């Protein structure tokens, strides 16, 4: 699904290459424990040992984000600054005070971003309480505008 180098095979799958190692490790842990749901990932993570999950996180973190042609930058939508507080001004992700990194959002696909935001808003994705509250407070149109902007970076 993610490809050997962490580059998605379709737009609904996130790019995981170059994402922070401890972010990837947390997501694998959350899938394994059932704190994050998906059709495929929980059973896959349950087949891996903790050491294998750590190795996978380290491997994908060391891969390069896929190159892409520069697109036309859209105007930032209203409210996007709230994302910068955790994901950095350039939306490339950042290490937080608790030591856990936030993922890169810039360049993820629109389809993946808008669906992730919807899952947080609907309470289907519960592995980050702050994201759940923030996305629930936004309208679907605002989330769609943010996803479109971030995917174009």
């Amino acid at each position: 699904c993610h490809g050997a180098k962490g580059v998605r095979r379709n737009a609904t799958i996130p790019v995981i290459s170059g994402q922070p190692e401890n972010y990837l490790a947390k997501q694998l842990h959350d899938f394994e424990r059932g704190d994050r749901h998906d059709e495929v990932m929980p059973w896959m993570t349950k087949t891996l040992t903790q050491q294998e999950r750590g190795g996978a996180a380290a491997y994908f973190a060391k891969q390069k984000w896929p190159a892409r042609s520069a697109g036309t930058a859209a105007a930032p939508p209203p409210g996007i600054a709230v994302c910068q507080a955790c994901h950095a001004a350039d939306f490339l992700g950042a290490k937080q005070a608790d030591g856990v990194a936030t993922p890169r959002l810039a360049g993820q696909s629109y389809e993946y971003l808008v669906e992730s935001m919807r899952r947080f808003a609907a309470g289907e994705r519960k592995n980050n309480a702050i994201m759940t509250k923030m996305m629930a407070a936004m309208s679907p149109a605002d989330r769609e505008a943010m996803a479109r902007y971030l995917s174009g970076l």
Side-chain angles (χ1 to χ4, degrees):
C1 297
H2 297 283
K5 300 276 186 193
V7 180
R8 67 179 171 256
R9 297 190 188 254
N10 73 55
T12 62
I13 310 266
V15 172
I16 60 173
S17 60
Q19 290 286 20
E21 182 177 340
N22 70 355
Y23 169 78
L24 293 172
K26 180 187 183 314
Q27 299 314 300
L28 290 171
H29 174 265
D30 291 352
F31 280 124
E32 190 267 333
R33 285 186 38 142
D35 296 334
R36 183 171 174 189
H37 302 285
D38 180 77
E39 294 77 27
V40 176
M41 290 300 297
W43 71 263
M44 290 183 83
T45 56
K46 288 179 183 184
T47 67
L48 301 173
T49 66
Q50 184 175 357
Q51 184 177 4
E52 289 169 328
R53 288 192 303 273
Y59 171 80
F60 286 112
K62 290 176 184 158
Q63 303 307 307
K64 299 287 184 213
W65 190 265
R68 43 182 272 195
S69 59
T72 306
I80 195 73
V82 73
C83 302
Q84 292 172 312
C86 295
H87 294 277
D90 55 7
F91 305 102
L92 297 181
K95 193 170 193 177
Q96 302 303 299
D98 62 3
V100 176
T102 57
R104 175 181 177 144
L105 302 178
Q108 280 288 11
S109 73
Y110 168 81
E111 294 83 355
Y112 172 74
L113 289 168
V114 80
E115 179 60 12
S116 290
M117 292 175 183
R118 185 200 67 74
R119 287 183 179 198
F120 274 121
E124 294 171 18
R125 184 169 171 185
K126 301 175 185 179
N127 66 331
N128 185 312
I130 294 169
M131 282 295 297
T132 300
K133 289 177 188 173
M134 288 177 50
M135 293 297 108
M138 292 181 187
S139 72
D142 287 344
R143 293 192 305 267
E144 289 169 13
M146 287 182 176
R148 183 130 350 258
Y149 173 75
L150 292 167
S151 67
L153 296 178

